């Protein structure tokens, strides 16, 4: 399956000046997986996502995503992944939702057929049809996150990176976003790597999770087992 649907592999580390933000991270994600990345504030989760998506380069080591080196930002790579940073919008607030989708169609260079198919699929899935004429600026946080996700998924990426996608959302919007992400992973086979502070996100979506603390991996395995151990207070101490 590896390389067909999406994979991440690498052993790498990243410093910010003197400080080691991610140390000797050995990470491997198979195509079709939905992996959760958790850890306390400052653990290195965002730094990890930034390296995996080419925003920053590792200080040493090598990362391969779908067989590409992310920080080279080759066009072929750009067409196959997407990233949504919960605290940083990719949307233009002056545009309507419909015009936003048109704009990203051009950015991705989608054919008429591809565009219509994908737009209709995701607009229907996320239930945002009635928002198409609305200016992005006036959308609620939950509606805006749905648009962020549609924009990210419009070109059918093989792998989707999500950094805190439910941050700031109310319970209903959070639940909806989780439901859509589950469906995208199951129906489209999209590989998803998600960071979150919310246990609910990880428990309900990710069969596997990676716990990071002080830039190092302290757990990598079944989510259920992690929560079992946590409840029994064995071996792993989590402070959130
Ligand atoms: P949070 O959950 O708060 O977003 P995180 O797990 O995503 O935290 P990172 O943002 O990756 O953690 O930060 C890891 C470490 O690197 C922290 O100690 C942080 O202070 C440091 N750091 C992050 N970005 C920079 C930067 N641009 N310059 C210097 N240090 C940084």
């Amino acid at each position: 399956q590896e390389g067909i649907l999406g994979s991440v592999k690498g052993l790498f580390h990243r410093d910010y000046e003197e400080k080691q933000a991610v140390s000797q991270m050995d990470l491997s994600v198979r195509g079709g997986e939905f992996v959760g990345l958790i850890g306390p504030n400052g653990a290195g989760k965002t730094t990890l996502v930034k390296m995996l998506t080419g925003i920053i380069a590792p200080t040493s080591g090598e990362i391969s995503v779908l067989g590409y080196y992310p920080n080279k930002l080759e066009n072929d790579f750009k067409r196959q992944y997407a990233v949504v940073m919960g605290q940083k919008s990719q949307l233009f607030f002056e545009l309507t939702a419909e015009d936003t989708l048109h704009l990203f169609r051009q950015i991705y260079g989608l054919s008429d057929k591809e565009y219509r198919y994908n737009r209709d699929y995701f607009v229907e899935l996320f239930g945002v049809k009635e928002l198409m004429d609305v200016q992005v600026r006036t959308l609620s946080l939950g509606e805006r996150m749905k648009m962020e996700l549609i924009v990210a998924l419009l070109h059918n990426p093989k792998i989707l990176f999500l950094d805190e996608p439910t941050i700031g959302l109310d319970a209903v919007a959070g639940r909806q976003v989780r439901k859509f992400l589950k469906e995208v992973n199951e129906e489209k086979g999209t590989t998803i790597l998600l960071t979150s502070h919310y246990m609910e996100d990880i428990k309900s979506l990710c069969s596997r999770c990676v716990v990071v603390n002080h830039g190092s991996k302290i757990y990598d395995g079944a989510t259920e087992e992690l929560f079992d151990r946590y409840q029994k207070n064995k071996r792993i101490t989590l402070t959130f």
Side-chain angles (χ1 to χ4, degrees), residues 16 19 21 40-47 164 197:
Y16 288 112
K19 194 178 165 40
N41 286 334
K45 305 180 296 295
T46 301
T47 303
E164 309 262 9
H197 274 97

Side-chain angles (χ1 to χ4, degrees), residues 14-17 19-22 38-50 56 87 163-164 195-197 212 215:
R14 164 80 195 193
D15 296 336
Y16 288 112
E17 288 159 8
K19 194 178 165 40
Q20 210 169 66
V22 170
I38 54 178
N41 286 334
K45 305 180 296 295
T46 301
T47 303
L48 197 52
V49 171
K50 283 183 176 170
I56 59 173
Q87 310 204 56
D163 196 16
E164 309 262 9
T195 82
S196 183
H197 274 97
V212 183

Side-chain angles (χ1 to χ4, degrees), residues 33 75-76 127 138 193 196 198 201 206-207 209 215 225:
E33 273 194 294
N75 281 332
D76 278 352
T138 63
L193 189 91
S196 183
Y198 302 113
D201 288 350
C206 310
S207 51
C209 76
E225 194 189 327

